[in-house]
Amino acid sequence: MADYLDDLRLAHVLADAADAATTARFKALDLKVETKPDMTPVSEADKAAEELIRGQLQRARPRDAVLGEEFGIQGTGPRRWVIDPIDGTKNYVRGVPVWATLISLMEAGEGGYQPVVGVVSAPALSRRWWAAKGHGAFTGRSLTSATRIHASRVSRLSDASFAYSSLSGWEEQGRLNGFLDLTREVWRTRAYGDFWPYMMVAEGSVDLCAEPELSLWDMAATAIIVTEAGGTFTGLDGRPGPHSGNAAASNGLLHDELLGYLNQRY
């Protein structure tokens, strides 16, 4: 079995470069921000970070394909790097420090491409998380300064902490009542949003999280980190991995209950 550790080391190098580029422009008074066709913002830092990562991958892994949020797919083959240069752009452009660069390597296999390496780097929080298939999940400042992380063992909803991003998406999909029912059953709810709640599930500080609409680059890195930490990552349809256009993550013990509530439609 491939160990993917060389790819993980490369992902850290890519994250280091992206961190330098994004932090240099964070809170810049002259930061340029545009609106994409889907009405979401994109900053010059998003584009610069993705271009930087693509350039390094072209030199280090010229045979691999690259899929990024800002510039789409380039190349073909059984290995595909998936990049979100800034997950949490709305936070980034407003000076909120909860944003991260998401880097994943996906490999073709049964059921399509599956993530085998993931790095989530949040430099404004001074945090980084990562995982490689079969090697567990970790957090720390570097590969040599790391702590292994594990999902929680909370087994009752009444003791569980549930994180989410917003209410509007659940309402648009007709899932709001089930969502609200879930919030009434759990011990605690907080709207952290973006990559962060998935990393909290992996660390065991949050037990459940979900979002009703996401893209592959939002989920590829977080999915491998959650699963390597012993948690469960699926779509709302229960399909494992980051392929359903939405996400549900948990410590595994509460996953069926999580999906049951979020699939209630009134």
Side-chain angles (χ1 to χ4, degrees):
M1 185 183 75
D3 66 15
Y4 303 109
L5 293 182
D6 283 343
D7 295 308
L8 179 60
R9 283 187 282 269
L10 174 59
H12 275 273
V13 171
L14 300 174
D16 289 342
D19 285 356
T22 53
T23 55
R25 299 298 291 154
F26 185 49
K27 296 187 179 181
L29 296 179
D30 61 343
L31 181 72
K32 295 178 181 178
V33 182
E34 303 170 3
T35 300
K36 293 191 286 189
D38 64 359
M39 303 308 293
T40 60
V42 57
S43 75
E44 62 181 82
D46 291 79
K47 295 180 179 179
E50 184 169 324
E51 287 175 334
L52 186 64
I53 292 170
R54 284 176 178 269
Q56 293 202 11
L57 283 171
Q58 180 60 39
R59 292 187 293 274
R61 297 289 190 275
R63 296 182 179 180
D64 293 351
V66 181
L67 171 65
E69 178 176 10
E70 306 309 332
F71 298 106
I73 183 74
Q74 178 181 359
T76 59
R79 288 163 48 97
R80 178 181 297 171
W81 294 85
V82 179
I83 310 300
D84 189 343
I86 299 179
D87 182 56
T89 297
K90 292 177 182 178
N91 283 343
Y92 184 88
V93 301
R94 290 296 303 270
V96 178
V98 184
W99 49 270
T101 295
L102 278 52
I103 300 170
S104 178
L105 172 63
M106 302 186 74
E107 197 166 66
E110 293 185 16
Y113 285 87
Q114 299 298 331
V116 294
V117 167
V119 172
V120 172
S121 190
L125 298 176
S126 298
R127 297 295 310 275
R128 184 177 290 186
W129 302 262
W130 62 88
K133 184 178 179 180
H135 289 277
F138 295 83
T139 187
R141 293 190 173 275
S142 68
L143 282 167
T144 56
S145 176
T147 302
R148 189 160 186 171
I149 55 177
H150 301 275
S152 77
R153 302 301 297 169
V154 172
S155 59
R156 298 192 305 178
L157 278 182
S158 58
D159 296 327
S161 180
F162 171 51
Y164 61 98
S165 55
S166 66
L167 298 180
S168 58
W170 301 105
E171 186 171 31
E172 290 165 4
Q173 293 190 8
R175 301 178 189 264
L176 183 60
N177 286 335
F179 174 92
L180 293 175
D181 285 347
L182 175 61
T183 67
R184 297 182 184 106
E185 291 297 320
V186 298
W187 165 64
R188 190 172 191 252
T189 61
R190 284 294 183 271
Y192 298 109
D194 300 308
F195 68 93
W196 206 6
Y198 301 96
M199 298 303 93
M200 292 184 190
V201 168
E203 290 183 321
S205 53
V206 162
D207 311 297
L208 310 162
C209 69
E211 289 182 89
E213 186 174 3
L214 292 170
S215 298
L216 179 61
W217 47 75
D218 298 313
M219 298 183 281
T222 59
I224 182 70
I225 294 171
V226 167
T227 55
E228 283 294 320
T232 298
F233 190 108
T234 72
L236 296 175
D237 57 5
R239 181 185 178 189
H243 300 288
S244 301
N246 46 49
S250 76
N251 63 6
L253 301 175
L254 299 168
H255 206 78
D256 289 345
E257 289 178 274
L258 172 65
L259 294 179
Y261 277 98
L262 296 181
N263 282 305
Q264 292 179 24
R265 295 174 181 267
Y266 298 159

